[in-house]
Amino acid sequence: MNKERKLIIAGNWKMNKTASEALALVKALKLELTNIKEVDVVVCPPFTALAEVAKAVLESNIRLGAQNMSEQGNGAFTGEIAAGMLKEFSVRYVILGHSERRQYQKESNELISKKAHAAHAASLHPIVCVGETLAEREGGQMEKVLETQVRGSLAGLTAEQMDDTVIAYEPVWAIGTGRTATTAQAQETHAFIRKLLVSMFNQAVSRRVRIQYGGSVKPSNARELMGQPDVDGALVGGASLDARSFSEIIKNSI
Ligand code: PEP
């Protein structure tokens, strides 16, 4: 597939897989994906599996991501994980502001932007998630909601930092529901976000930033979604928990 930006496909394993299960999954993925160079492949296991998975992906084409991190560098923040701790496991990417964290942990755009700054300070590449609910889409609020999330979550980042930032557009109504945005809906929304980046930064930044689509991506819909000009990859939940389906998504996207 001829793309303006290199595709980045990340698996968000969420709160699934013990360390030994994660190791088995990543070993199977390595076998499936040995020759893949066309796509940046990232896996995001739970924190407890990072050490095992980090060792397994050494010298492979699979990169490691975390699912969250603290906006703080260290200190009395019980239960939190700092960017520096992730770096020790060769983590390169970190998912920030996933809709599940926005919903259950009440993460605000302001907090997500603080985390994005902390990630960049540690040379981690944030994958910043945005997305509207079904009620917001049906109520005609989608663009307003997305604009608030994109401006708020990326507040204060420089153009250079944007080059190392990925945006994941994940309509909340499509996550884990089996319901996928149509290719037209995905393209239209990605184009809207890209246009927003022109007004926030500039044309060059907007052309370089990779925008992933997330929401019930599977082997059968990956090719069509990735074929859209402004869709630069995928953030995959459920289908990333199985080596065969995640690698088929990647292979079908090339
Ligand atoms: C996600 O949670 O990031 C996601 C896209 O999940 P799923 O693929 O299961 O819809």
Side-chain angles (χ1 to χ4, degrees), residues 1-66:
M1 203 178 279
N2 201 7
K3 298 289 293 184
E4 187 174 350
R5 293 158 289 272
K6 189 176 184 188
L7 289 174
I8 174 165
I9 300 185
N12 173 12
W13 296 357
K14 309 194 185 187
M15 198 174 71
N16 295 295
K17 307 287 177 191
T18 63
S20 54
E21 289 166 349
L23 186 59
L25 173 55
V26 81
K27 280 183 175 169
L29 274 177
K30 264 171 61 171
L31 291 177
E32 295 271 1
L33 299 174
T34 14
N35 295 318
I36 305 289
K37 295 181 197 65
E38 300 87 341
V39 176
D40 287 334
V41 178
V42 183
V43 294
C44 305
F47 292 131
T48 48
L50 284 176
E52 289 293 345
V53 176
K55 278 182 252 157
V57 298
L58 267 181
E59 290 173 27
S60 81
N61 53 353
I62 300 175
R63 301 282 166 261
L64 194 55

Side-chain angles (χ1 to χ4, degrees), residues 183-212:
T183 48
Q185 283 171 326
Q187 168 54 27
E188 195 187 340
T189 316
H190 282 228
F192 169 76
I193 294 171
R194 201 173 299 288
K195 210 164 122 208
L196 203 51
L197 295 175
V198 179
S199 69
M200 291 171 65
F201 300 95
N202 56 50
Q203 188 80 40
V205 167
S206 158
R207 286 193 67 172
R208 284 196 298 261
V209 170
R210 294 187 288 183
I211 307 176
Q212 295 174 312

Side-chain angles (χ1 to χ4, degrees), residues 12 14 98 100 170 174-176 214-217 235-238:
N12 173 12
K14 309 194 185 187
H98 189 280
E100 285 150 17
E170 300 204 300
I175 297 179
S216 300
V217 175
L235 184 54
V236 185

Side-chain angles (χ1 to χ4, degrees), residues 10-14 95 98-100 129 168-179 213-218 234-241 249:
N12 173 12
W13 296 357
K14 309 194 185 187
I95 300 171
H98 189 280
S99 66
E100 285 150 17
C129 302
Y169 167 60
E170 300 204 300
V172 177
W173 47 272
I175 297 179
T177 58
R179 197 174 156 179
Y213 170 78
S216 300
V217 175
K218 38 190 185 274
L235 184 54
V236 185
S240 73
L241 295 174
I249 287 173

Side-chain angles (χ1 to χ4, degrees), residues 99 102 129-147 149 168-175 179 181 185-186 189-190 192-193 213-214:
S99 66
R102 288 179 184 265
C129 302
V130 297
E132 81 289 357
T133 63
L134 191 58
E136 288 162 346
R137 180 174 271 264
E138 289 179 347
Q141 299 294 301
M142 184 187 78
E143 292 196 349
K144 193 165 153 270
V145 167
L146 289 177
E147 177 159 1
Q149 290 182 349
Y169 167 60
E170 300 204 300
V172 177
W173 47 272
I175 297 179
R179 197 174 156 179
Q185 283 171 326
T189 316
H190 282 228
F192 169 76
I193 294 171
Y213 170 78

